Amino acid sequence: MQGEEILRMFPEKSRYRWQEAAKAAEKLQEIRLRADMPLSILVNDRERFLDPHGKIVDRQECAARPTVGELEEILAHLCQYSIYAYADEIRQGFLTVQGGHRVGLAGQVILEDNNRVRNLKYIRYLNIRIAHEKIGVAEPLLPHLYNSVGQVRNTLLISPPGCGKTTMLRDMIRSISDGTKYGAGVNVSVVDERSEIAGSYLGVAQNDVGCRTDVLDGCPKNEGMMMLIRAMAPQVLAVDELGSLEDIQALRMASGCGCRLLATIHGGSLEEVWNKKYMRYVTEDGLFERYVVLDRAQGVCRIAGIYDGEGNHV
């Protein structure tokens, strides 16, 4: 099915050039298209290239070089030939397409008078990130996510980029929503600011986030958390990639409303995260009861450590 989804990202007349990439769908991570530059793909963490006939090759000089016109045609196809209908997504620099796959965009920025981004034009760079669900990846964490009475512990996932924190968070959400042997299923609300957790397409989650999960797609975290608390009365609230004091303050308010919390943050270690200025409120309040650190060893994402709220190994 994922191979078919990859083919559907491209105009029908050119799909023959993507057949080999589609066959490698299970191992394919990225497709990078840059105007008049070698067409590269990432397969099992290894950069390779597609030649003009769609064959996967190792030599950069053999790679196809998509033209400006080809990029514009691919973008129009991704936007269902109505780019204006996707203006809000383009302004944020990405599109989410059917299957939960994400297309990053870069080109010339158009600014408003207040220096905020109004839109992008002359889009000449596309990065298609292939979504891969890994059902069950959170299984080793589940005994540590619940307390003795079956309640979810406030948990923060810590990881450098590319180590699987969003994949792990997604499976945690699914497990907690559906229920596990450690606790009954509960209502989970997700603020999916960048459409990476649920991978919503036309409002429908393309990834399995559980039967009791509600998703607010494309909304800033600090606003979305309070919207969901008021509207959906969640028992667990989940967000991805904390990055500001406003995010932390919104989490503290959500906790004060009785929500249990799941979140992720960029970092290489617990100490590095605790040293971020805006995280001092977290350590002072004891907001999180579990910290999970992820890393990557020999190309494989793994759980490097699980800690309690005081930073002790569990």
Side-chain angles (χ1 to χ4, degrees), residues 66-227:
T67 65
V68 168
E70 288 173 327
L71 287 184
E72 290 178 341
E73 188 172 8
I74 291 170
L75 179 60
H77 176 77
L78 290 169
C79 294
Q80 301 182 60
Y81 299 95
S82 180
I83 288 179
Y84 291 109
Y86 286 80
D88 287 342
E89 289 90 340
I90 291 172
R91 179 178 57 81
Q92 297 179 71
F94 67 90
L95 305 171
T96 301
V97 300
Q98 190 170 9
H101 312 294
R102 181 173 167 181
V103 184
L105 313 170
Q108 183 175 339
V109 169
I110 303 172
L111 293 177
E112 295 179 341
D113 293 338
N114 59 3
N115 269 354
R116 297 189 65 182
V117 175
R118 187 176 75 193
N119 210 334
L120 288 176
K121 66 178 181 179
Y122 305 133
I123 294 170
R124 302 294 182 254
Y125 311 90
L126 303 180
N127 178 22
I128 302 174
R129 297 176 60 183
I130 308 301
H132 292 283
E133 278 193 282
K134 294 187 178 179
I135 302 296
V137 70
E139 190 71 28
L141 286 182
L142 296 182
H144 304 284
L145 296 183
Y146 294 85
N147 62 23
S148 59
V149 294
Q151 291 180 319
V152 175
R153 290 186 168 108
N154 292 349
T155 301
L156 180 64
L157 290 174
I158 299 168
S159 163
C163 289
K165 64 182 179 303
T166 303
T167 300
M168 182 69 76
L169 176 63
R170 182 187 304 121
D171 201 52
M172 290 164 60
I173 292 166
R174 179 194 62 80
S175 300
I176 290 167
S177 173
D178 288 345
T180 74
K181 64 181 180 180
Y182 305 102
V186 297
N187 294 323
V188 182
S189 284
V190 178
V191 186
D192 202 359
E193 184 171 5
R194 296 179 177 86
S195 305
E196 290 187 300
I197 302 173
S200 297
Y201 177 72
L202 301 180
V204 178
Q206 302 295 292
N207 297 319
D208 185 356
V209 288
C211 65
R212 297 178 181 87
T213 299
D214 305 303
V215 180
L216 189 61
D217 184 59
C219 182
K221 287 184 286 293
N222 51 3
E223 295 180 38
M225 284 187 253
M226 300 318 297
M227 287 175 63

Side-chain angles (χ1 to χ4, degrees), residues 32-52:
R32 286 188 177 267
L33 302 104
R34 302 174 174 101
D36 301 318
M37 291 292 151
L39 195 167
S40 66
I41 61 176
L42 192 65
V43 183
N44 271 358
D45 292 321
R46 178 185 172 193
E47 183 184 52
R48 304 191 73 185
F49 303 91
L50 288 186
D51 75 5

